[in-house]
Amino acid sequence: MRLHEIEGNPLSADEVAMFDMFERERWSAERRRAYILAKARPLAAE
């Protein structure tokens, strides 16, 4: 998150909440990746 801030591209509150959820619920890396890709696909199709 700090790197995004340094680069002038901080995470949104929704993005921070998503990563907090991943940690809290102990999602695996594979499950996290699948979740993020599923959210990104519709945006990429626009």
Side-chain angles (χ1 to χ4, degrees), residues 2-45:
R2 296 286 180 228
L3 289 175
H4 283 277
E5 288 178 21
I6 291 168
E7 293 177 1
N9 187 27
L11 298 178
S12 69
D14 288 339
E15 291 167 331
V16 171
M18 177 185 67
F19 286 111
D20 287 344
M21 176 191 70
F22 292 163
E23 290 297 318
R24 184 180 60 251
E25 297 182 12
R26 299 181 180 175
W27 284 26
S28 68
E30 294 81 16
R31 187 174 179 195
R32 293 175 190 209
R33 184 175 188 275
Y35 180 89
I36 292 169
L37 287 174
K39 293 283 189 176
R41 282 190 183 108
L43 298 174

